[in-house]
Amino acid sequence: MSVAGAGGVQRIRHGLAHAVVLALLVATLGGCASAPGGGSTGGTPSAGASSAASAATALPSWRDGAARQTIVRFVESVTRQGSPEYVPPAERIAVFDNDGTLWSEQPLYFQFFFLLDQVRAAAPQHPEWKSNPAFKAIMANDMAGLMREEKRLLPLIAQANSGMTVDEYDRTIRAWLDTARHPKFNRRYTDLVFQPQLELLNYLRANGFKTFIVSGGTIEFMRPWSERVYGIPPEQVVGSTQSVTYEMRGGQPTLVRGPKLEFINDGAGKPVGIYRQIGRRPILAVGNSDGDLQMLQYTMAGTGSRLAVLVHHDDAEREFAYDRKSGIGKLDRALDEARARGWTVISMQQDWSQIYPSVRTQP
Amino acid sequence: MSVAGAGGVQRIRHGLAHAVVLALLVATLGGCASAPGGGSTGGTPSAGASSAASAATALPSWRDGAARQTIVRFVESVTRQGSPEYVPPAERIAVFDNDGTLWSEQPLYFQFFFLLDQVRAAAPQHPEWKSNPAFKAIMANDMAGLMREEKRLLPLIAQANSGMTVDEYDRTIRAWLDTARHPKFNRRYTDLVFQPQLELLNYLRANGFKTFIVSGGTIEFMRPWSERVYGIPPEQVVGSTQSVTYEMRGGQPTLVRGPKLEFINDGAGKPVGIYRQIGRRPILAVGNSDGDLQMLQYTMAGTGSRLAVLVHHDDAEREFAYDRKSGIGKLDRALDEARARGWTVISMQQDWSQIYPSVRTQP
C-alpha cells in the first residue's frame, strides 16, 4: 500500500481543519512508555544506576547535559532507600506520550497514514466512493484537494476502519506496519522510534518504574507493537478508544469495531485516561506538545518528588524541527509553562547523540 | 453512618426495578482478581505448585475436590515448560469478577449501601430533598417505600456522589469502609472477602499470572482497597466508570466527578472493558453470575488451554444461598452454559472449608 508523498503531506498538515485533527488526527497524538525487552512491571528494582558513569552505560545515546543529569538525579533520589524523596516501587508510575515523544510524528501522525491506506484498501468494496471528491483526492495523492474535502473524508475513514472484528483489525495493522514506509526516511514506522527513549524506558524499569504509554493514538494501533518495540505490554497502553461491541459471529464470541470515536485521550483527556486506566498519579511524565500539557500539570500537582519532561524537536537535519507554529505536535503553551516552572526540556539536537535505532526492527 | 437493616434490604433486592439495577446496582456487579501481598505482575513464575500436596499448601481453604483439582491441573499445564499447553507469563491473564466472586454481594451490592449512605451524609446540604419521597424512604430505612420511588432515587444518588474531586471521593470511600458494617455479619465489608479466593489469587501470581478485577462496580470504589486486600493494584482494576473532568480548582489541577455513569462494565460490557484496559484475551476467568457470562464466553473462545470458573452460592449457613431467582447476582443462564460446556462450578458449601478470613482487615 502506498503512502501519500512527502510533498502532499507537507501541505495537508497545514490544511486539514481542526475537526479532523481533533476527531482523528489528534487521536494519533499521544503519550507512551517503555523500551524493548521483557514485560514492564512494578517489581523490585535492581540496584539503581548510582552515578554518572552508570547513567552513561544505561543511557548511551544521551549526551551528558542538564536533561540527562536531571533525569538520573530524579531516578536516584526516588529509588534510594532512606532518601526523603523515596517512592515505593508500586507508586513509580511513568507515563510517556507516544507521537513525537517515543517516535516521530511528522509529516503526519503515522496512524493517519494508516487510516488513509485503509480507505484505499477498502475501495473495491465501496464503488459508491468513486464519485466522492475526498476519495478522489486520496487516490490521486492530492493532499491539497483532500484538505478541502475534510467533511467527506471523515465518513470514508470511519467506514474503512470499522465493521471488522478487533482481531481482523489487529492483523491489518500488523501487516501494514510490516510493509509501509515513511515518506522521508523510507524506513518502517516502527524503526522511527527514538533510541534514547528506548534506553530511558529500560533504565526506568530497571529502577522499578512501571512504564505506560498515554497517547492520543488509539489503543489498537499501538498495542500490536508496543511490547516488542518499547517493552510496554498492551495493558499499559492508555489511548483513545473507538466503540467496540460484543457480538456472536458464526457462533463465536467476537468484538466488533463500531465507527464512533468514544474517548479522545489528548489534552485534558490525558489525566482522565490516566485516572481511568492507571488509577494512580504518575511521578514522571514525558511529552512533546501542547496535547501533553495537562498530563504534565497533573503529574506535577501531586506531593513528593516528581518530574516533567518535554521533548523539543529542534533537529531538522536528523529528524524534524518544529514547535509553536506546527499543525502537528504544536509545542507552544507547554513550552512556556516548562520554562516558567523549570520543567526539563530535551533538545533532540543537543541532548541526543543518536535519534533512531541503528538496527531495523524485525518484521 | 448507618446501613439499611437486613429485613428492609431483603425486600429492596426484589423490588428495585431494572433501571436502578442496570444503572447503579449492576454498576456494583463485577469481576475482580488478586490476593493480599505485593503488587501483581506478569513476572517470571516461581516453581509452580506441582502436586496435590503443594496445592494443599497453596490453597489450604480449598477442600480436595473437582474444583481445586481442575484449577491446579490447569495452572500446572500452562506453566510447565515444554507442555503443549504452555503459555508464556505475559499472556497469563486471569480476570475475576468482584461482587459475589471475591467478596459477598448480599443482601445488596456493598457499593449500593455506600451510595445510600452518601445520600444520607449529603442531606444537610440539600434541604430541598426533604419533600422527596425517595429521600424520606432512605431516612426511614423504608426499603419498600424506596423501591416504589426509584425514579426519584437516581437523581439523589447522582447528586450525592458527584461534584467532588476524585481525591475527596477516595477519602470518603476509605472512611466509609473503615466504619460501615455488614447488616448480617456485623463486620467490615472488606472483611467479607473470600479466603479461598485470596489464596487462589496468590497461587496464580506465584505461577506468573497477572491478576485483574473485571467488575460491574465502579473503579473508584474498588481501587482504595484492592491492592491491600487482594494484592491487585489500581491499574489492574477494570470496572464501570463515571464521568470525570479535568479542571483547575484554586490553581490546582484536579479531576472532578460528574454525575454520568459513562460505561457499565457488566454483561456484554465486560469483554469490552477487558479489550479496552487489558488488550489481551484472558486465559482464566472467574465469575458467579449471569453478568459474567460474556466474560467467560470470551475467555473460552480463544485458542489454547483456558479455564472458566463459576462460584455457586449454595451455603446459606456460612454465607448466602441464591442462584436462578435472585435479584442480586442472578445465576441462571451462566449455570446452564457452565454445565453444557463443562466449565468448573465451585460449590461454596462443599469446596471451601472456610469462607471469610479469620483475621479482620486493618482499618
Side-chain angles (χ1 to χ4, degrees), chain A residues 223 246 262 275-276 297, chain B residues 223 246 262 275-276 297:
Chain A
R223 285 173 168 168
Y246 179 80
E262 283 186 328
Y275 174 74
R276 279 191 193 169
Q297 289 172 335
Chain B
R223 285 173 168 167
Y246 179 79
E262 282 187 327
Y275 175 73
R276 280 191 191 168
Q297 288 172 334

Side-chain angles (χ1 to χ4, degrees), chain B residues 16-342:
Chain B
L16 274 178
H18 252 55
V20 178
V21 172
L22 283 177
L24 282 160
L25 297 185
V26 160
T28 321
L29 272 171
C32 202
S34 261
S40 70
T41 65
T44 311
S46 50
S50 59
S51 69
S54 63
T57 309
L59 303 170
S61 304
W62 290 71
R63 293 200 185 101
D64 189 17
R68 193 182 81 178
Q69 285 166 17
T70 302
I71 291 168
V72 169
R73 255 198 317 268
F74 171 75
V75 170
E76 290 179 356
S77 74
V78 299
T79 55
R80 191 168 43 237
Q81 291 270 3
S83 149
E85 287 85 28
Y86 179 77
V87 175
E91 292 165 30
R92 291 181 204 157
I93 304 292
V95 291
F96 283 73
D97 166 66
N98 186 37
D99 299 294
T101 297
L102 290 180
W103 72 351
S104 292
E105 62 184 352
Q106 296 285 5
L108 266 186
Y109 303 120
F110 299 169
Q111 185 170 358
F112 195 63
F113 286 127
F114 167 74
L115 295 172
L116 290 183
D117 278 345
Q118 285 305 100
V119 173
R120 294 184 182 94
Q125 287 81 54
H126 293 277
E128 76 280 8
W129 288 355
K130 277 184 186 153
S131 57
N132 183 317
F135 178 72
K136 288 184 198 169
I138 292 174
M139 297 311 278
N141 261 345
D142 170 14
M143 293 297 140
L146 189 56
M147 66 193 173
R148 290 192 303 268
E149 297 295 344
E150 177 206 329
K151 279 184 189 164
R152 291 191 174 93
L153 172 63
L154 285 175
L156 296 186
I157 288 179
Q159 272 187 279
N161 291 277
S162 62
M164 66 290 284
T165 69
V166 299
D167 292 339
E168 288 162 354
Y169 199 60
D170 180 86
R171 287 191 290 273
T172 305
I173 291 164
R174 290 172 194 269
W176 183 85
L177 288 169
D178 277 351
T179 56
R181 293 291 184 281
H182 187 274
K184 174 174 172 178
F185 297 107
N186 193 32
R187 292 180 69 173
R188 280 196 184 87
Y189 289 103
T190 48
D191 287 335
L192 300 178
V193 297
F194 302 138
Q195 175 64 28
Q197 300 289 58
L198 300 182
E199 295 163 9
L200 176 57
L201 290 166
N202 271 334
Y203 172 66
L204 291 170
R205 288 191 293 257
N207 281 281
F209 280 76
K210 200 162 182 175
T211 53
F212 289 82
I213 291 174
V214 178
S215 171
T218 62
I219 50 175
E220 72 279 356
F221 188 72
M222 297 180 282
R223 285 173 168 167
W225 53 279
S226 64
E227 186 151 34
R228 175 173 55 84
V229 175
Y230 297 136
I232 299 182
E235 60 270 25
Q236 287 164 220
V237 175
V238 182
S240 296
T241 55
Q242 191 150 339
S243 63
V244 160
T245 53
Y246 179 79
E247 293 177 15
M248 287 291 185
R249 282 199 174 179
Q252 284 300 305
T254 50
L255 292 170
V256 176
R257 289 174 56 79
K260 197 182 153 206
L261 194 63
E262 282 187 327
F263 175 66
I264 298 180
N265 190 56
D266 194 52
K270 288 201 175 191
V272 174
I274 289 168
Y275 175 73
R276 280 191 191 168
Q277 189 161 336
I278 305 177
R280 307 194 211 242
R281 195 189 296 255
I283 63 167
L284 169 60
V286 187
N288 78 299
S289 78
D290 285 358
D292 302 313
L293 176 57
Q294 290 87 345
M295 176 170 81
L296 270 59
Q297 288 172 334
Y298 177 67
T299 298
M300 297 307 285
T303 54
S305 192
R306 346 199 112 244
L307 190 65
V309 180
L310 278 176
V311 176
H312 190 193
H313 291 261
D314 57 0
D315 195 329
E317 196 180 326
R318 295 185 299 173
E319 201 239 6
F320 299 94
Y322 59 97
D323 47 34
R324 296 184 191 274
K325 307 283 186 197
S326 180
I328 301 283
K330 180 178 178 177
L331 176 63
D332 185 32
R333 284 178 56 210
L335 191 57
D336 291 339
E337 192 146 337
R339 288 179 176 158
R341 295 181 184 273

Side-chain angles (χ1 to χ4, degrees), chain A residues 65-198:
Chain A
R68 193 182 83 177
Q69 285 166 17
T70 302
I71 291 169
V72 169
R73 255 199 315 270
F74 171 76
V75 170
E76 290 180 355
S77 74
V78 299
T79 55
R80 192 167 43 236
Q81 291 271 2
S83 149
E85 286 86 28
Y86 180 77
V87 175
E91 292 165 29
R92 292 180 204 157
I93 303 292
V95 290
F96 284 72
D97 166 66
N98 187 36
D99 298 295
T101 297
L102 291 180
W103 72 352
S104 293
E105 62 183 352
Q106 296 285 5
L108 266 186
Y109 303 121
F110 298 169
Q111 186 170 357
F112 194 63
F113 286 125
F114 168 73
L115 295 173
L116 290 182
D117 278 346
Q118 285 305 102
V119 173
R120 293 184 182 95
Q125 288 82 53
H126 293 277
E128 76 280 11
W129 288 353
K130 276 184 187 152
S131 57
N132 183 317
F135 178 72
K136 287 186 199 168
I138 292 174
M139 297 311 279
N141 261 345
D142 169 14
M143 293 297 139
L146 190 56
M147 66 194 173
R148 289 191 302 269
E149 297 296 345
E150 177 206 330
K151 279 184 188 165
R152 290 190 175 94
L153 172 63
L154 285 175
L156 295 187
I157 288 179
Q159 272 187 279
N161 291 276
S162 61
M164 65 290 283
T165 70
V166 299
D167 292 338
E168 288 163 355
Y169 199 61
D170 181 85
R171 286 191 291 273
T172 305
I173 292 164
R174 290 172 193 268
W176 184 84
L177 287 168
D178 277 351
T179 54
R181 293 291 185 278
H182 186 275
K184 174 173 172 178
F185 297 107
N186 193 31
R187 293 181 68 174
R188 280 197 185 85
Y189 289 103
T190 49
D191 287 335
L192 301 178
V193 297
F194 302 137
Q195 175 64 28
Q197 300 288 57
L198 300 182

